[in-house]
Amino acid sequence: KLKIIPVGVDTVFFKPPIIKDDNEKVIKLITVGRLDRVKGHEYAIQVAEILQQKGCQIELTIVGEGRERDVLEQLIKEKQLHAIVKLAGRKGQLEVKEMLQSSDIFLFTSVATYQGRRETQGLATLEAQACGLPAVVFDSGGVKYTVKEGETGYVVPEYDVNAMASKVEDLIQNAQKRKQMGEAAVQFVTSKFSQEVIFKRWKQMYAVSERVESIK
């Protein structure tokens, strides 16, 4: 009797840029979410460190604000990653879209809190894919249902920063795969999670409910 209908994405607003420079030597990684332990930004920073040690030319931008800022700033300082990891702070929706459109790969490192709470869906992952970014995410909560494994991105075990770094490195080294996954991501979100599609699912749900009530 239970039906799951996800939150939809405005694919008219979140969409790939008309023109994108794919000749940049530095690969831009981005993650979006409030600076809270459940978002696991510390693991994204660890991934950036691993990639730097492997010689990858990257930048990681963390978009969001919250109570974990001081902790993350200290971690960046300890690992001497100021040159490649940026805490961008809180941004408006238009700014987030533009930052996604100018990036190459989306990371989502959400994890369980000490209370066992996890991400329910991962809307940011869908918005990033709608902008044409392949996503590499932790298998936490409902996040895995927002990525088509091996087609629009990769789902790796929760907390496994080495596995995530490996998948990101694969995308860094294979521009064609990045492009193909990005295009598949746009199609995936548009066909499964666009507001138009979700509205139709709600409409069908209410139609069924009304028929059941009329029979009663």
Side-chain angles (χ1 to χ4, degrees):
K1 295 182 179 180
L2 295 178
K3 298 288 184 181
I4 297 175
I5 299 181
V7 177
V9 177
D10 184 355
T11 51
V12 175
F13 181 78
F14 288 100
K15 57 186 178 182
I18 297 174
I19 300 175
K20 187 168 184 176
D21 185 1
D22 292 323
N23 296 317
E24 291 283 345
K25 291 183 178 180
V26 176
I27 298 299
K28 296 179 180 179
L29 314 179
I30 187 170
T31 185
V32 179
R34 68 187 183 279
L35 305 187
D36 187 281
R37 291 184 67 181
V38 73
K39 298 298 182 181
H41 293 308
E42 62 186 283
Y43 302 106
I45 293 171
Q46 290 176 32
V47 169
E49 180 185 31
I50 292 170
L51 292 169
Q52 183 192 53
Q53 291 172 348
K54 289 186 174 185
C56 298
Q57 292 183 286
I58 61 157
E59 291 178 356
L60 169 63
T61 299
I62 300 174
V63 181
E65 193 55 78
R67 57 190 177 186
E68 288 288 299
R69 171 174 275 277
D70 290 344
V71 174
L72 296 175
E73 286 180 340
Q74 183 60 32
L75 182 61
I76 293 168
K77 181 178 179 181
E78 289 174 359
K79 294 182 176 296
Q80 299 182 354
L81 296 174
H82 292 95
I84 66 167
V85 179
K86 308 295 181 185
L87 298 180
R90 184 181 290 108
K91 300 294 180 182
Q93 194 175 50
L94 178 59
E95 292 174 296
V96 170
K97 180 185 75 169
E98 291 173 345
M99 294 174 80
L100 288 171
Q101 289 176 333
S102 64
S103 298
D104 299 295
I105 301 169
F106 186 78
L107 305 185
F108 203 60
T109 49
S110 185
V111 294
T113 65
Y114 65 92
Q115 297 171 321
R117 184 167 62 92
R118 284 181 167 85
E119 198 78 35
T120 52
Q121 176 175 323
L123 184 60
T125 306
L126 293 170
E127 292 173 346
Q129 290 178 100
C131 289
L133 300 186
V136 185
V137 307
F138 278 162
D139 184 1
S140 182
V143 177
K144 64 183 174 184
Y145 302 112
T146 65
V147 175
K148 200 167 185 180
E149 169 63 26
E151 294 186 35
T152 72
Y154 297 108
V155 180
V156 302
E158 196 174 36
Y159 302 105
D160 195 339
V161 292
N162 287 304
M164 178 170 281
S166 178
K167 293 300 186 183
V168 175
E169 184 181 18
D170 177 53
L171 290 172
I172 289 172
Q173 295 177 347
N174 195 329
Q176 185 60 27
K177 182 181 286 189
R178 277 203 317 274
K179 185 174 184 294
Q180 290 174 346
M181 280 193 163
E183 292 172 350
V186 174
Q187 178 59 33
F188 171 62
V189 176
T190 301
S191 63
K192 300 293 185 182
F193 294 94
S194 69
Q195 289 183 342
E196 181 181 2
V197 169
I198 299 304
F199 173 75
K200 287 180 180 178
R201 291 182 62 181
W202 276 114
K203 190 174 180 180
Q204 291 169 354
M205 176 73 73
Y206 279 109
V208 170
S209 298
E210 288 173 358
R211 286 199 297 272
V212 172
E213 287 300 316
S214 64
I215 292 173
K216 291 180 180 180

